[in-house]
Amino acid sequence: MTDIRQTTQDADDGQHAAPRDDAAQSARTETPASELPAPNAPVPETSVPETPAPQAPGTDRPAPQPGSAGNRDDEDGAATDPLEEEGEIAADYLEELLDTADLDGDIDIEVRDGRTYLSVVADGDDVEGLAVLVGEDGEVLEALQELLRLSVLAATDRRSRLVLDIGGYRLRRAGELQDLARAAVREAQESGQRVHLDPLSAYERKIVHDVVAEQGLVSESEGEGTARHIVVSVAQG
């Protein structure tokens, strides 16, 4: 953050030269006493209209000013953590979306391992209501996650890697991916061949990569776009 310092010069510093002689002093024109303001008279105030700050799209927060894409200051003057800030922005956007869709849910924000995690849990027993925001194979969830990242980008001019979970879908999916990775490791060890998995999202590929690395094997991502997938193989040499 740029440290902006404002220096104010003392009124007595460099502006206190006295007249050279009494003649010069007496030559000054004095204001008649009748024109002087009355003692304790109120000083007129100049009113300056306030200009409302522009708001960031999808939020009720002021849009960042040029050069303010860094940490935002809170009311106490302390710097706001960028990950916490993006969590708040995304949560505001998500809350408006839930209200529009007439869905109830509690939003939790957590920052860990250099990422912001948002999770929506059902408010009461309305678990099926949130299922529409997950979709088949998590397709709707992935789209919503991208919308939240775009809302953060619009408000802060920073790209986000936040992760959204709804109704515990990602937690259940993580368990499935770990089992899938272990099965691919066993197949690669038994056959000695490279094992190709189905296409996965970047977040899901990371889960598989971590499991394969723990088992001492090698995993690589191949393909482009929606065809990008993981290949598991035994380490050579």
Side-chain angles (χ1 to χ4, degrees), residues 115 145-153 160-163:
R115 279 198 184 195
Q145 178 175 274
E146 187 61 27
L147 284 177
L148 295 183
R149 291 179 174 181
L150 289 175
S151 71
V152 173
L153 176 63
S160 170
R161 298 189 306 130
L162 70 82
V163 176

Side-chain angles (χ1 to χ4, degrees), residues 11 15 37 42 50 66 110 127-128 150 152 201:
Q15 298 182 1
E50 296 184 357
E110 183 181 0
V127 178
E128 295 182 358
L150 289 175
V152 173
S201 67

Side-chain angles (χ1 to χ4, degrees), residues 81-96:
D81 183 271
L83 295 179
E84 294 178 358
E85 180 186 9
E86 72 177 45
E88 294 174 1
I89 294 172
D92 288 344
Y93 185 96
L94 187 57
E95 184 177 10
E96 291 184 10

Side-chain angles (χ1 to χ4, degrees), residues 18-22 24:
R20 293 186 176 181
D21 50 34
D22 294 340

